[in-house]
Amino acid sequence: MNNTSKILVIGSALALSACGRPTQSDVNQAARNRATDVAKASQAAQPAVDAANRNLVTAQQNANIKIANATAAADHSINKATVIQAKAQAKADYNVAIARIEGNLKVAQEKCAMQPADAQTACEQNAQAIHDQDVSAAVARLDAVNQQPD
């Protein structure tokens, strides 16, 4: 009986140890189950992925619109500031031109006063004509800039 017990114990141990070992068939089945689970999870997640992609596209479009609007507003502000600066510069240039023109007239009148009496009138008329022409040109330059819309 001793040998029989030993055989039974050894046989039982071998049988029990064989039960816990996976076979290639078990591994293949687990791989198939995992692949099936991944496919099911991918199918289940696809609507959420599609919705997220649609949301992303909408967000990108909205961002592009905001960027375009901000760029247009900035361009408008820059253009307005440029026009304001150009008008201020034109006014300053006009004031300098008028001061120069008035100074030139005074110098011309002084030169005319040194002319003989019969030449003074023609000289003064010529000086006044040059003065008037220069003033008209300065006014025209100022008006041209001031006609730009703000």
Side-chain angles (χ1 to χ4, degrees), residues 77-90 148-150:
S77 295
I78 290 169
N79 291 340
K80 186 174 181 176
T82 301
V83 169
I84 290 170
Q85 189 276 332
K87 287 181 178 183
Q89 184 64 50
Q148 293 180 5
D150 287 339

Side-chain angles (χ1 to χ4, degrees), residues 39-51:
K40 285 179 184 177
S42 293
Q43 282 179 334
Q46 193 59 47
V49 170
D50 293 343

Side-chain angles (χ1 to χ4, degrees), residues 14-121:
L14 284 174
L16 287 175
S17 68
C19 288
R21 292 197 178 170
T23 63
Q24 186 60 43
S25 171
D26 294 336
V27 171
N28 291 342
Q29 182 60 40
R32 282 191 299 275
N33 289 344
R34 185 177 54 243
T36 301
D37 291 344
V38 168
K40 285 179 184 177
S42 293
Q43 282 179 334
Q46 193 59 47
V49 170
D50 293 343
N53 285 335
R54 284 190 302 276
N55 290 342
L56 175 63
V57 168
T58 300
Q60 287 172 334
Q61 289 171 341
N62 290 339
N64 288 340
I65 289 169
K66 287 180 182 179
I67 289 170
N69 289 341
T71 300
D75 288 346
H76 176 74
S77 295
I78 290 169
N79 291 340
K80 186 174 181 176
T82 301
V83 169
I84 290 170
Q85 189 276 332
K87 287 181 178 183
Q89 184 64 50
K91 181 64 175 168
D93 292 346
Y94 170 80
N95 290 337
V96 169
I98 292 298
R100 181 184 46 76
I101 292 166
E102 294 300 325
N104 289 346
L105 178 61
K106 289 189 189 287
V107 169
Q109 287 172 336
E110 290 296 322
K111 287 183 181 179
C112 290
M114 292 186 228
Q115 298 278 329
D118 59 334
Q120 282 184 1
T121 303

